[in-house]
Amino acid sequence: MTKRPFTLAEARASGVTLDALRRKSWRRIGTELYCWSGLADDPWRVLVAWRSQLPPHAVFAGKTAAWLHRLDVEPCNPIEVIAAGIRSRPGLVVRNCHIKEMSIARGLPATTLDVVFRDLRRRLAPAEILVLADQALRLNLGRFHELAEKAESPMETRLRWLLLQSGLPKPEVQANLHDTNGRFLGRADLYYPSAKLVIEYDGGIHRERLVEDNRRQNSILNAGYKLLRFTAADVHQRTDVVVEQVRSSLLTFSYL
């Protein structure tokens, strides 16, 4: 019982009472579902446990299905399913509708990614849909947005979306940079080739590799590129500044 989530019936069969399950040693994760409090969070194990409690025709949907297809979303808050004859309960949202398009993802029944994107487009901001579409494309799961690119992080996607929504030209994504001798310098998060403008998102990984990134930046600047770097705070809180700096840099090179 310390290895995986378990049902109330399994607990009772092992001699563990409901009163005992209410103590600190155990954690309730759903209706009649529990796990040992020391068990590491594992969404897949939680979904497997829930699956055992659901009718055979139940299919995981929404963000839960998106996670099963390997997209980076929260799958269990709440768990989403499509099933007839059952009702929602704490931790579980049930939609009583008919679904024709289903698949098996990570060994569990889930709506197809086409259905997932049709569903989430009604609920998520356009930038977040593009984040998921970029992830799907990078994972070779298919193209689900006309603007999708193989961006390496959600914040890079959000930065690109900000520029596009401000009317700026579409930048290249993960573009290879070379010096005049053809030596590879690195890849740009976003790049405007006609202006030789490199745009980078600075996340936590950049701070951890500061020395390496500084050397790379120096090589890029010495090769005649112009470089702008932005953080999450810039993208979320200083959008006008980001757009104006990019626009000014493009105008300097007569790109616009």
Side-chain angles (χ1 to χ4, degrees):
M1 290 175 60
T2 61
K3 304 295 185 182
R4 61 171 180 82
F6 54 87
T7 65
L8 178 58
E10 288 175 322
R12 285 172 170 164
S14 298
V16 180
T17 66
L18 182 58
D19 284 341
L21 290 173
R22 290 171 177 155
R23 297 170 187 164
K24 292 182 179 181
S25 296
W26 309 103
R27 177 160 49 95
R28 185 174 181 271
I29 59 174
T31 303
E32 297 190 354
L33 285 174
Y34 300 84
C35 71
W36 176 50
S37 59
L39 188 67
D41 287 339
D42 186 336
W44 187 81
R45 288 185 181 275
V46 171
L47 295 179
V48 169
W50 269 103
R51 184 72 186 89
S52 69
Q53 298 289 89
L54 297 170
H57 63 273
V59 176
F60 291 110
K63 287 186 177 182
T64 306
W67 183 86
L68 286 171
H69 285 289
R70 295 185 289 145
L71 300 184
D72 186 16
V73 293
E74 168 53 60
C76 299
N77 190 28
I79 294 168
E80 300 180 60
V81 300
I82 294 175
I86 61 173
R87 294 184 296 178
S88 297
R89 63 195 78 163
L92 181 74
V93 171
V94 179
R95 278 178 278 163
N96 298 114
C97 61
H98 184 64
I99 183 69
K100 294 181 179 179
E101 301 173 63
M102 65 161 288
S103 60
I104 300 298
R106 303 200 203 194
L108 296 173
T111 56
T112 64
L113 267 178
D114 282 322
V115 173
V116 167
F117 274 94
R118 287 204 299 269
D119 177 15
L120 295 183
R121 280 190 186 97
R122 296 192 292 265
R123 298 192 271 152
L124 299 182
E128 300 312 304
I129 291 297
L130 185 56
V131 165
L132 297 181
D134 279 2
Q135 290 178 11
L137 190 63
R138 190 175 69 252
L139 293 169
N140 297 316
L141 299 175
R143 178 177 288 275
F144 298 94
H145 197 295
E146 61 181 5
L147 297 176
E149 300 280 0
K150 293 184 178 181
E152 291 195 345
S153 79
M155 286 307 301
E156 290 176 24
T157 300
R158 294 179 185 116
L159 175 55
R160 184 170 97 254
W161 176 259
L162 169 61
L163 301 180
L164 294 175
Q165 289 304 293
S166 300
L168 291 170
K170 182 180 178 181
E172 293 183 7
V173 175
Q174 292 300 311
N176 291 334
L177 304 176
H178 300 86
D179 63 17
T180 54
N181 296 318
R183 183 171 63 94
F184 177 70
L185 302 176
R187 270 187 291 274
D189 294 340
L190 303 175
Y191 181 53
Y192 289 102
S194 296
K196 295 196 73 173
L197 175 61
V198 176
I199 301 174
E200 297 276 81
Y201 168 71
D202 276 344
I205 191 169
H206 290 284
R207 290 190 291 272
E208 293 166 6
R209 301 188 321 201
L210 184 60
V211 173
E212 178 184 341
D213 276 0
N214 284 343
R215 290 171 179 166
R216 173 175 170 272
Q217 175 176 307
N218 290 340
S219 297
I220 289 172
L221 293 174
N222 287 338
Y225 294 94
K226 186 166 185 176
L227 177 64
L228 292 176
R229 307 182 78 112
F230 299 110
T231 66
D234 294 323
V235 176
H236 289 306
Q237 301 168 21
R238 303 174 71 244
T239 57
D240 291 345
V241 173
V242 172
V243 171
E244 182 54 36
Q245 288 184 351
V246 174
R247 191 184 303 277
S248 295
S249 295
L250 294 178
L251 286 170
T252 299
F253 285 89
S254 300
Y255 187 88
L256 295 178

